[in-house]
Amino acid sequence: MTRHYSALSLVKEGLKGQKGWAPAWTSPQPKPRYDMVIVGGGGHGLATAYYLAKTHGITNVAVIEKGWLGGGNTGRNTTVVRSNYFFPESVRLYDMALKLYEGLSRELNYNIMLSQRGMISLAHTPAEMEMAARVVNAMQINGTDAELFGPGDVKRVLPVYNFGPKARYPALGGVWQGRSGTARHDAVAWGYARAASALGVDILQQCEVQEFLIEGGRCRGVKTSRGEIRADRVGLAVAGHSSQMAAKAGFRLPVTSYALQACVSEPVKPILDTVVLSPGAGTYASQSDKGEMVVGGGLDRIPSYGQRGNLPVLETVISGLVEMFPSFRQLKLMRQWAGIVDVAPDSSPIIGESPLPGLFLNCGWGTGGFKAIPAGGTLLAHLLATGQHHDISRPFDLDRFARGRLIDEAAGSGIAH
Amino acid sequence: MQIFSCPFCGPRPEYEFHFGGDLGNHRPEGFDAVPDQKWADYLYFRNNPKGMAREVWMHLTCGEMFSMTRDTVTMEAAPGEALAEGQP
């Protein structure tokens, strides 16, 4: 069976009629006991399992997923990776993720199709230009790459933008991060799953957690639709359903679940080779390798678990897009969908032990979970393996809400989540 | 477009409304005597239910707050009700 992916193995298998490929991951029966159990088979859960095995040598691990791998927000996001945040804590976290993404295809032997095409966050008014300069300064001080763009720079990277005298969103400049870009979202989930499985991790799909096994005030495992599974420590990486899992474990979380929408157009020839975000217009877009325009915007402002999205937000997003790119008016939309995101009051994630000892949290990523997958996995794995915070995850503990040490990125970098 | 019903103005489009949180999330009394975790519970921690939810909403155009029972999966919403004195 062929396991390693390379040009050579592709040729060899091509000559043998593609019959020798091993499954990317195995689907074993659940064992009654593991050292660690991760609830949630999205990017964060699978990455956690991979780093537990790879970094900490803990391979007796199960990932439990109620649906299929990457079927939640990992397969619903718009594939943007970036680290253009304001606070030092956030930049350390998201830059850790971006650096890991940069080496991930090689590390996992799986092409995640990372394309560091750069991202421009546009400023349309002099006041927004001042805020852009502030963010660029903060990013540079925090040690990540950032550049303040003027109108000429925007013209260079976005020739199709509406620079007309009557443009509703004149482009005065913006924040440029050249290392930002896109990665294939499914490939991130599948790559981590394949690498974790190869190291001995059990991936259990179609397995729903019904309740937690709580003995002596500690979490001792989970009761699932496929039987009881005991574990020393349990990690929770379930994004929009974190509050539901927390309720089963007997506590509440400072998160609210909202629908976040996105849509794609029909595929067209290459026209947009960067990621463009306009906080003012409430729209962002990039062009996929297939040629589809991938378009998204802000949250629906109505708490929701319905993976659909509502019309007013979609209207804002599309009207912003066609104002900025008049040529896109001819595009036909192919698909529109939504994912359920868990938004914390300070728009920063929650990583740390939960109020139920033995149960560890990775949630609150809001609209920005995909870009953070390698860091979320590394940090939750560190917590599970050592019982201690990594330096980078310490500020994101659940205790920050009672201590008043919020990391307010909504105010800091003006991000939507 | 979803239509919500303000108890004072009647049916209106969703963008006229603002979500105000869980119904019954009252500010703890006692100021300095209130422990930090209790303040945090009031300020930040949420029920965030999947399914039936009892919530406070504001109709931005008339400025009135009211309670609404809503299903967070189907998005079905009962007509809003005026908040009453002594209500949980």
Side-chain angles (χ1 to χ4, degrees):
Chain A
M1 295 294 254
T2 306
R3 292 186 187 281
H4 189 77
Y5 296 164
S6 68
L8 185 66
S9 63
L10 199 61
V11 171
K12 277 186 182 167
E13 279 302 326
L15 294 172
K16 288 192 287 181
Q18 317 283 3
K19 295 282 197 307
W21 295 110
W25 56 82
T26 57
S27 296
Q29 286 301 309
K31 290 191 275 182
R33 202 194 163 284
Y34 292 91
D35 292 346
M36 312 275 171
V37 160
I38 320 291
V39 184
H44 282 272
L46 293 164
T48 303
Y50 169 73
Y51 291 114
L52 272 175
K54 181 79 195 308
T55 313
H56 303 280
I58 301 171
T59 57
N60 187 22
V61 174
V63 177
I64 299 178
E65 166 57 45
K66 77 170 172 183
W68 65 94
L69 296 190
N73 294 349
T74 303
R76 290 166 192 269
N77 62 76
T78 47
T79 77
V80 176
V81 295
R82 58 187 172 88
S83 64
N84 49 352
Y85 286 80
F86 183 76
F87 292 107
E89 295 90 341
S90 308
V91 174
R92 287 175 74 198
L93 176 69
Y94 291 104
D95 219 36
M96 175 195 218
L98 191 51
K99 281 179 184 145
L100 287 166
Y101 264 133
E102 285 169 342
L104 202 59
S105 290
R106 189 168 290 271
E107 174 166 0
L108 299 180
N109 177 230
Y110 201 96
N111 188 2
I112 63 157
M113 297 163 79
L114 179 70
S115 159
Q116 291 179 291
R117 56 185 69 179
M119 171 167 163
I120 174 77
S121 303
L122 291 168
H124 305 296
T125 65
E128 284 176 14
M129 271 309 282
E130 286 175 14
M131 289 304 283
R134 172 175 170 269
V135 169
V136 166
N137 287 341
M139 286 169 64
Q140 289 177 349
I141 288 167
N142 290 327
T144 189
D145 67 306
E147 212 178 309
L148 186 65
F149 266 20
D153 300 310
V154 178
K155 252 185 188 143
R156 180 167 50 80
V157 299
L158 289 179
V160 290
Y161 195 85
N162 181 4
F163 295 103
K166 289 185 175 172
R168 184 172 170 193
Y169 298 109
L172 305 189
V175 181
W176 172 259
Q177 190 182 36
R179 284 165 64 236
S180 296
T182 59
R184 173 101 170 94
H185 50 5
D186 296 323
V188 172
W190 297 337
Y192 273 122
R194 172 170 167 271
S197 182
L199 291 169
V201 168
D202 280 5
I203 293 168
L204 311 172
Q205 299 181 72
Q206 306 286 317
C207 183
E208 184 171 4
V209 170
Q210 293 161 337
E211 54 192 83
F212 292 96
L213 304 176
I214 302 169
E215 289 164 14
R218 263 191 84 82
C219 183
R220 302 286 183 186
V222 289
K223 183 171 171 243
T224 75
S225 53
R226 293 171 68 180
E228 275 191 13
I229 300 174
R230 303 184 73 82
D232 296 338
R233 288 186 173 134
V234 178
L236 200 58
V238 297
H241 283 74
S242 296
S243 293
Q244 266 48 62
M245 284 291 136
K248 290 181 200 297
F251 58 91
R252 297 199 304 167
L253 287 170
V255 299
T256 305
S257 294
Y258 292 96
L260 177 67
Q261 302 186 62
C263 51
V264 294
S265 74
E266 61 189 326
V268 290
K269 293 255 169 84
I271 189 168
L272 180 66
D273 63 355
T274 58
V275 181
V276 57
L277 162 71
S278 164
T283 305
Y284 66 91
S286 64
Q287 191 170 14
S288 75
D289 293 345
K290 278 189 286 184
E292 303 151 327
M293 221 53 74
V294 184
V295 182
L299 291 168
D300 291 6
R301 302 310 309 189
I302 302 172
S304 170
Y305 287 88
Q307 290 172 315
R308 293 180 298 273
N310 66 6
L311 199 57
V313 169
L314 189 62
E315 196 176 359
T316 303
V317 168
I318 299 296
S319 62
L321 184 77
V322 297
E323 282 289 342
M324 294 190 293
F325 301 96
S327 56
F328 290 5
R329 285 175 195 184
Q330 304 163 51
L331 289 174
K332 292 178 181 68
L333 280 189
M334 284 206 308
R335 294 188 302 279
Q336 173 271 355
W337 66 93
I340 302 306
V341 299
D342 43 335
V343 179
D346 58 353
S347 301
S348 286
I350 300 163
I351 307 165
E353 191 161 10
S354 80
L356 177 64
L359 178 64
F360 293 78
L361 302 169
N362 169 343
C363 66
W365 294 99
T367 62
F370 175 70
K371 75 171 81 68
I373 282 173
T378 301
L379 298 170
L380 183 58
H382 185 95
L383 264 166
L384 287 166
T386 65
Q388 306 285 324
H389 265 294
H390 191 287
D391 276 352
I392 292 180
S393 66
R394 182 72 195 81
F396 296 95
D397 194 278
L398 187 62
D399 71 0
R400 74 174 184 267
F401 296 97
R403 295 195 303 127
R405 292 278 301 178
L406 273 61
I407 304 164
D408 195 346
E409 281 296 341
S413 58
I415 52 153
H417 64 82
Chain B
M1 178 80 65
Q2 178 154 33
I3 306 294
F4 290 138
S5 189
C6 169
F8 310 99
C9 312
R12 296 292 185 122
E14 59 179 279
Y15 56 74
E16 289 188 10
F17 294 85
H18 180 74
F19 175 59
D22 297 318
L23 186 66
N25 183 30
H26 298 299
R27 190 179 70 190
E29 293 300 329
F31 297 101
D32 289 348
V34 176
D36 292 347
Q37 190 58 53
K38 204 165 178 190
W39 272 124
D41 269 351
Y42 162 69
L43 287 170
Y44 303 123
F45 285 67
R46 300 290 175 253
N47 295 337
N48 197 23
K50 183 176 184 176
M52 289 314 267
R54 298 271 289 148
E55 299 166 333
V56 176
W57 283 78
M58 181 187 251
H59 186 205
L60 296 169
T61 45
C62 76
E64 289 283 353
M65 301 190 82
F66 61 94
S67 71
M68 189 158 69
T69 303
R70 200 171 62 86
D71 190 306
T72 61
V73 181
T74 65
M75 306 304 271
E76 203 174 333
E81 292 168 50
L83 291 169
E85 195 71 34
Q87 187 173 307

